[in-house]
Amino acid sequence: MKRVITYGTFDLLHYGHINLLRRAKSLGDYLIVALSTDRFNTEEKHKICYFTYEQRKQLLEAIRYVDLVIPEDNWEQKITDVQEYKVNTFVIGDDWEGKFDFLKEYCNVVYLPRTPEISTTQIKEELKENHGDKH
Ligand code: C2G
């Protein structure tokens, strides 16, 4: 069984995330998503999430490509995760190109092109701009 892992916040889940998860799963048979915890997001990634960890976990677990969701609570856990879960391939969007090459000692490292024109930040900004415009 070829095991793949990826990491992220996945807040306001959108088709860019789904494209990443679909391609990540296509690289193996079992996909683990290490989901950034609320603490990790606020204290270290400086991201304010709309959905809580539990809500984001529930959303990810409903996706056919995702086999397991585990917490990502710090920047340093990747090597132990790869070893503990016997991961063959680490995958992440190419906005992180090169940042996780240290994992090449333990598994394959794949940076996938991001889906253009969609991001959680953009969704929030457009909602703010359009607030009050009744459709
Ligand atoms: N993504 C994508 N296309 C987009 C938006 C996101 O391919 N339009 C990918 C990102 O590259 C990432 C994944 O979807 O691989 C999750 O995105 P984020 O939640 O923004 O992840 P990030 O905050 O970058 O967390 O330790 C690693 C970090 O936890 C990664």
Side-chain angles (χ1 to χ4, degrees):
M1 171 177 299
K2 283 175 69 182
R3 302 158 77 85
V4 182
I5 197 166
T6 192
Y7 291 73
T9 296
F10 295 97
D11 191 36
L12 296 188
L13 196 65
H14 55 68
Y15 63 88
H17 297 134
I18 303 300
N19 282 343
L20 186 285
L21 295 170
R22 187 186 64 254
R23 288 174 293 163
K25 180 60 175 283
S26 73
L27 296 173
D29 316 289
Y30 189 88
L31 176 60
I32 302 163
V33 178
L35 182 61
S36 307
T37 60
D38 296 331
R39 185 208 68 79
F40 185 47
N41 276 315
T42 37
E43 292 179 23
E44 300 189 42
K45 294 177 79 173
H46 309 300
K47 284 191 164 187
I48 312 279
C49 283
Y50 184 82
F51 290 121
T52 65
Y53 174 81
E54 282 308 319
Q55 290 165 333
R56 290 180 285 117
K57 181 171 185 282
Q58 193 184 353
L59 285 162
L60 284 174
E61 287 173 340
I63 298 169
R64 69 176 68 178
Y65 310 120
V66 176
D67 296 289
L68 177 67
V69 179
I70 63 172
E72 178 191 31
D73 197 49
N74 59 74
W75 294 111
E76 295 75 32
Q77 69 183 74
K78 292 183 176 66
I79 292 176
T80 43
D81 288 347
V82 166
Q83 292 170 325
E84 185 181 334
Y85 290 95
K86 300 178 178 50
V87 167
N88 304 88
T89 304
F90 166 89
V91 187
I92 200 158
D94 63 3
D95 43 323
W96 293 92
E97 184 81 38
K99 297 286 190 308
F100 301 115
D101 287 357
F102 64 87
L103 289 170
K104 285 181 177 172
E105 209 177 314
Y106 305 93
C107 63
N108 303 321
V109 174
V110 176
Y111 299 101
L112 294 172
R114 275 174 71 92
T115 301
E117 282 123 47
I118 182 77
S119 71
T120 302
T121 312
Q122 181 190 332
I123 293 169
K124 287 179 181 174
E125 277 161 15
E126 285 184 21
L127 283 171
K128 220 183 290 176
E129 274 161 38
N130 302 339
H131 182 68
D133 290 3
K134 296 282 175 278
H135 291 289

